Amino acid sequence: MTEQKRKRVFSGIQPSGDLTIGNYIGAIRQWVQHQHEFNALYCVVDLHAITAGHDPASLAAKTREVAAIYIACGIDPAQSIIFAQSHVTAHAELGWLLTCVTPIGWLQRMTQFKDKAAKQDAANVSNGLLSYPVLMAADILLYHTEAVPVGDDQKQHLELTRDIAQRFNHMYGEIFTIPEVMLPLEGARVMGLDNPLTKMSKSEKTQYHAVHLLDNPDQIRKSVMRAVTDSGSLVTFSNDPERAGVNNLLTIYQALVGGTQADVEAYFVGKSYGDLKKAVAEVVAETLKPIQARYAEITADETYLNEILASGADRARELAAPTLQSVYQNMGFLPVKQLQQVKL
Ligand code: TRP
């Protein structure tokens, strides 16, 4: 496939909390599988990580950690652009410009905003939490992104991105490409081990909620062995909310081992929930072992990661600049070029 024909893809993860096998199975793994078919940008969305309070002492380290995890999981920096969002100022600039074409009502309707705002003290809910999806739209639209691989919890934000792009194009001229959502493979939605009715979250602080990508085998085993199941004994997939725990463990197993649901069920015939947990703990640990080894190598050499992030940001800046330029121009701003011709 020629450079030009490859689809432009953009995705990102916030450098907050500790990345989990949910991030791996539901997102990063897909990015790795498809990176050769796409012209992809994988961003560490650090500007998004400050919308609900953050720790300034750990933001930089977390940003490096997420970038190193992308690479450790198999994102090839020679193929895909890996960078930190704050290093390409066009994101924040376009974010503001799009904020001014986005009706507040559209943002107030976002379920993620409503959920997150409800969990906070109302007096502390930042404008950033509300405007979060506009910045996400800027991330995507800056690069004329055609496809965005995200979990289904981000589908609504993607639809909003499309609406913002269309509204802008209508008001100021056709600049933006309308992106498509690219949902992960069937069954790639990993739920919390301690509460299989909610999505596994990297920000959830309860112990044994998740397996984190940097957990050691002992931690992995402990979390999986404590996973919530039910009072039954049949190791089969199920849509019954009562059996969501077992279904989740089987989903993780299938995602990492492969095969059909029938294959997986056949393997566990006559086995107990305890056997299932042991098998899941083992396959998760085996999957993470090479990733963690690679992570250790990457982080042992600070300059390696610095170089990747620096060149990723350079390449992203180059791609973003003309889009931002056209947006300023179409919105009627005084061109900075006119000033550069002035002799002082
Ligand atoms: N909101 C996304 C999430 O929480 C992260 C994100 C920010 C993103 N900007 C993006 C994802 C652009 C895809 C494209 O998962």
Side-chain angles (χ1 to χ4, degrees), residues 10-12 14 45 48 132 136 139-140 148 150 154 157:
F10 184 104
S11 199
Q14 287 183 45
V45 289
H48 277 105
Y132 178 110
M136 178 164 164
D139 298 340
I140 295 165
V148 184
V150 282
Q154 294 299 312
H157 288 164

PDB file of all heavy atoms in Angstrom, residues 10-12 14 45 48 132 136 139-140 148 150 154 157, ligand 1:
ATOM      1  N   PHE A  10      -5.937   8.030  14.507  1.00  0.00           N
ATOM      2  CA  PHE A  10      -5.435   8.719  15.703  1.00  0.00           C
ATOM      3  C   PHE A  10      -6.103   8.098  16.920  1.00  0.00           C
ATOM      4  O   PHE A  10      -7.307   7.848  16.920  1.00  0.00           O
ATOM      5  CB  PHE A  10      -5.802  10.216  15.637  1.00  0.00           C
ATOM      6  CG  PHE A  10      -5.236  11.037  16.778  1.00  0.00           C
ATOM      7  CD1 PHE A  10      -4.137  11.873  16.572  1.00  0.00           C
ATOM      8  CD2 PHE A  10      -5.793  10.973  18.053  1.00  0.00           C
ATOM      9  CE1 PHE A  10      -3.597  12.631  17.621  1.00  0.00           C
ATOM     10  CE2 PHE A  10      -5.250  11.716  19.107  1.00  0.00           C
ATOM     11  CZ  PHE A  10      -4.159  12.540  18.892  1.00  0.00           C
ATOM     12  N   SER A  11      -5.295   7.849  17.968  1.00  0.00           N
ATOM     13  CA  SER A  11      -5.911   7.476  19.232  1.00  0.00           C
ATOM     14  C   SER A  11      -4.996   7.893  20.374  1.00  0.00           C
ATOM     15  O   SER A  11      -3.839   8.268  20.155  1.00  0.00           O
ATOM     16  CB  SER A  11      -6.233   5.990  19.305  1.00  0.00           C
ATOM     17  OG  SER A  11      -7.197   5.772  20.335  1.00  0.00           O
ATOM     18  N   GLY A  12      -5.528   7.842  21.577  1.00  0.00           N
ATOM     19  CA  GLY A  12      -4.724   8.276  22.707  1.00  0.00           C
ATOM     20  C   GLY A  12      -5.257   7.754  24.026  1.00  0.00           C
ATOM     21  O   GLY A  12      -6.411   7.334  24.126  1.00  0.00           O
ATOM     22  N   GLN A  14      -4.979   8.742  28.342  1.00  0.00           N
ATOM     23  CA  GLN A  14      -4.537   9.739  29.328  1.00  0.00           C
ATOM     24  C   GLN A  14      -3.462   9.181  30.252  1.00  0.00           C
ATOM     25  O   GLN A  14      -3.608   8.048  30.725  1.00  0.00           O
ATOM     26  CB  GLN A  14      -5.702  10.099  30.245  1.00  0.00           C
ATOM     27  CG  GLN A  14      -6.763  10.943  29.638  1.00  0.00           C
ATOM     28  CD  GLN A  14      -7.810  11.291  30.690  1.00  0.00           C
ATOM     29  OE1 GLN A  14      -7.478  11.655  31.813  1.00  0.00           O
ATOM     30  NE2 GLN A  14      -9.056  11.163  30.324  1.00  0.00           N
ATOM     31  N   VAL A  45      -2.311  11.647  25.875  1.00  0.00           N
ATOM     32  CA  VAL A  45      -3.123  12.870  25.944  1.00  0.00           C
ATOM     33  C   VAL A  45      -3.026  13.509  27.333  1.00  0.00           C
ATOM     34  O   VAL A  45      -3.952  13.477  28.134  1.00  0.00           O
ATOM     35  CB  VAL A  45      -4.589  12.626  25.483  1.00  0.00           C
ATOM     36  CG1 VAL A  45      -4.635  12.411  23.983  1.00  0.00           C
ATOM     37  CG2 VAL A  45      -5.241  11.452  26.187  1.00  0.00           C
ATOM     38  N   HIS A  48      -5.517  16.171  28.526  1.00  0.00           N
ATOM     39  CA  HIS A  48      -6.783  15.622  29.019  1.00  0.00           C
ATOM     40  C   HIS A  48      -6.686  15.150  30.466  1.00  0.00           C
ATOM     41  O   HIS A  48      -7.696  14.960  31.137  1.00  0.00           O
ATOM     42  CB  HIS A  48      -7.235  14.443  28.143  1.00  0.00           C
ATOM     43  CG  HIS A  48      -7.953  14.869  26.904  1.00  0.00           C
ATOM     44  ND1 HIS A  48      -7.367  14.838  25.658  1.00  0.00           N
ATOM     45  CD2 HIS A  48      -9.194  15.354  26.714  1.00  0.00           C
ATOM     46  CE1 HIS A  48      -8.235  15.279  24.756  1.00  0.00           C
ATOM     47  NE2 HIS A  48      -9.355  15.596  25.371  1.00  0.00           N
ATOM     48  N   TYR A 132     -13.731  18.879  27.696  1.00  0.00           N
ATOM     49  CA  TYR A 132     -12.891  17.715  27.382  1.00  0.00           C
ATOM     50  C   TYR A 132     -13.119  17.171  25.960  1.00  0.00           C
ATOM     51  O   TYR A 132     -12.171  17.002  25.190  1.00  0.00           O
ATOM     52  CB  TYR A 132     -13.182  16.660  28.453  1.00  0.00           C
ATOM     53  CG  TYR A 132     -12.472  15.345  28.328  1.00  0.00           C
ATOM     54  CD1 TYR A 132     -11.473  14.994  29.241  1.00  0.00           C
ATOM     55  CD2 TYR A 132     -12.806  14.416  27.344  1.00  0.00           C
ATOM     56  CE1 TYR A 132     -10.821  13.773  29.154  1.00  0.00           C
ATOM     57  CE2 TYR A 132     -12.162  13.211  27.250  1.00  0.00           C
ATOM     58  CZ  TYR A 132     -11.181  12.885  28.156  1.00  0.00           C
ATOM     59  OH  TYR A 132     -10.540  11.681  28.061  1.00  0.00           O
ATOM     60  N   MET A 136     -10.653  16.704  22.544  1.00  0.00           N
ATOM     61  CA  MET A 136     -10.546  15.405  21.867  1.00  0.00           C
ATOM     62  C   MET A 136     -10.869  15.575  20.375  1.00  0.00           C
ATOM     63  O   MET A 136     -10.194  14.992  19.511  1.00  0.00           O
ATOM     64  CB  MET A 136     -11.495  14.405  22.536  1.00  0.00           C
ATOM     65  CG  MET A 136     -11.493  13.045  21.895  1.00  0.00           C
ATOM     66  SD  MET A 136     -12.249  11.817  23.004  1.00  0.00           S
ATOM     67  CE  MET A 136     -12.544  10.495  21.827  1.00  0.00           C
ATOM     68  N   ASP A 139      -7.841  17.002  18.744  1.00  0.00           N
ATOM     69  CA  ASP A 139      -6.811  15.961  18.548  1.00  0.00           C
ATOM     70  C   ASP A 139      -7.037  15.249  17.214  1.00  0.00           C
ATOM     71  O   ASP A 139      -6.115  15.009  16.438  1.00  0.00           O
ATOM     72  CB  ASP A 139      -6.904  14.861  19.626  1.00  0.00           C
ATOM     73  CG  ASP A 139      -6.673  15.368  21.036  1.00  0.00           C
ATOM     74  OD1 ASP A 139      -6.086  16.456  21.194  1.00  0.00           O
ATOM     75  OD2 ASP A 139      -7.083  14.659  21.992  1.00  0.00           O
ATOM     76  N   ILE A 140      -8.286  14.868  17.032  1.00  0.00           N
ATOM     77  CA  ILE A 140      -8.642  14.022  15.893  1.00  0.00           C
ATOM     78  C   ILE A 140      -8.646  14.817  14.588  1.00  0.00           C
ATOM     79  O   ILE A 140      -8.099  14.395  13.577  1.00  0.00           O
ATOM     80  CB  ILE A 140     -10.037  13.389  16.156  1.00  0.00           C
ATOM     81  CG1 ILE A 140      -9.953  12.443  17.363  1.00  0.00           C
ATOM     82  CG2 ILE A 140     -10.573  12.688  14.921  1.00  0.00           C
ATOM     83  CD1 ILE A 140     -11.310  12.045  17.948  1.00  0.00           C
ATOM     84  N   VAL A 148     -10.844   6.300  14.159  1.00  0.00           N
ATOM     85  CA  VAL A 148     -10.405   6.455  15.541  1.00  0.00           C
ATOM     86  C   VAL A 148     -10.703   5.165  16.309  1.00  0.00           C
ATOM     87  O   VAL A 148     -11.863   4.876  16.610  1.00  0.00           O
ATOM     88  CB  VAL A 148     -11.124   7.652  16.218  1.00  0.00           C
ATOM     89  CG1 VAL A 148     -10.597   7.886  17.618  1.00  0.00           C
ATOM     90  CG2 VAL A 148     -10.974   8.910  15.379  1.00  0.00           C
ATOM     91  N   VAL A 150     -11.267   3.338  19.348  1.00  0.00           N
ATOM     92  CA  VAL A 150     -11.543   3.573  20.775  1.00  0.00           C
ATOM     93  C   VAL A 150     -12.563   2.571  21.277  1.00  0.00           C
ATOM     94  O   VAL A 150     -13.258   1.940  20.481  1.00  0.00           O
ATOM     95  CB  VAL A 150     -12.119   4.989  21.030  1.00  0.00           C
ATOM     96  CG1 VAL A 150     -11.036   6.048  21.005  1.00  0.00           C
ATOM     97  CG2 VAL A 150     -13.249   5.329  20.087  1.00  0.00           C
ATOM     98  N   GLN A 154     -16.240   5.663  24.308  1.00  0.00           N
ATOM     99  CA  GLN A 154     -15.836   6.915  23.655  1.00  0.00           C
ATOM    100  C   GLN A 154     -16.638   7.208  22.383  1.00  0.00           C
ATOM    101  O   GLN A 154     -16.391   8.194  21.694  1.00  0.00           O
ATOM    102  CB  GLN A 154     -14.344   6.874  23.313  1.00  0.00           C
ATOM    103  CG  GLN A 154     -13.433   6.842  24.518  1.00  0.00           C
ATOM    104  CD  GLN A 154     -13.612   8.086  25.394  1.00  0.00           C
ATOM    105  OE1 GLN A 154     -13.616   9.212  24.905  1.00  0.00           O
ATOM    106  NE2 GLN A 154     -13.781   7.885  26.682  1.00  0.00           N
ATOM    107  N   HIS A 157     -18.291  10.584  22.263  1.00  0.00           N
ATOM    108  CA  HIS A 157     -17.345  11.675  22.000  1.00  0.00           C
ATOM    109  C   HIS A 157     -16.964  11.737  20.520  1.00  0.00           C
ATOM    110  O   HIS A 157     -16.728  12.812  19.974  1.00  0.00           O
ATOM    111  CB  HIS A 157     -16.082  11.502  22.852  1.00  0.00           C
ATOM    112  CG  HIS A 157     -16.299  11.785  24.305  1.00  0.00           C
ATOM    113  ND1 HIS A 157     -15.425  11.392  25.279  1.00  0.00           N
ATOM    114  CD2 HIS A 157     -17.303  12.440  24.937  1.00  0.00           C
ATOM    115  CE1 HIS A 157     -15.878  11.790  26.458  1.00  0.00           C
ATOM    116  NE2 HIS A 157     -17.012  12.411  26.271  1.00  0.00           N
TER     117      HIS A 157
HETATM  118  N1  TRP B   1     -11.057  10.416  25.719  1.00  0.00           N
HETATM  119  C1  TRP B   1     -10.231   9.285  25.399  1.00  0.00           C
HETATM  120  C2  TRP B   1     -10.376   8.245  26.526  1.00  0.00           C
HETATM  121  O1  TRP B   1     -10.605   8.598  27.650  1.00  0.00           O
HETATM  122  C3  TRP B   1      -8.788   9.687  25.261  1.00  0.00           C
HETATM  123  C4  TRP B   1      -8.590  10.561  24.075  1.00  0.00           C
HETATM  124  C5  TRP B   1      -8.286  11.878  24.067  1.00  0.00           C
HETATM  125  C6  TRP B   1      -8.685  10.158  22.713  1.00  0.00           C
HETATM  126  N2  TRP B   1      -8.168  12.344  22.789  1.00  0.00           N
HETATM  127  C7  TRP B   1      -8.405  11.307  21.942  1.00  0.00           C
HETATM  128  C8  TRP B   1      -8.975   8.940  22.091  1.00  0.00           C
HETATM  129  C9  TRP B   1      -8.436  11.275  20.543  1.00  0.00           C
HETATM  130  C10 TRP B   1      -9.002   8.903  20.689  1.00  0.00           C
HETATM  131  C11 TRP B   1      -8.737  10.064  19.938  1.00  0.00           C
HETATM  132  O2  TRP B   1     -10.222   7.074  26.249  1.00  0.00           O
END
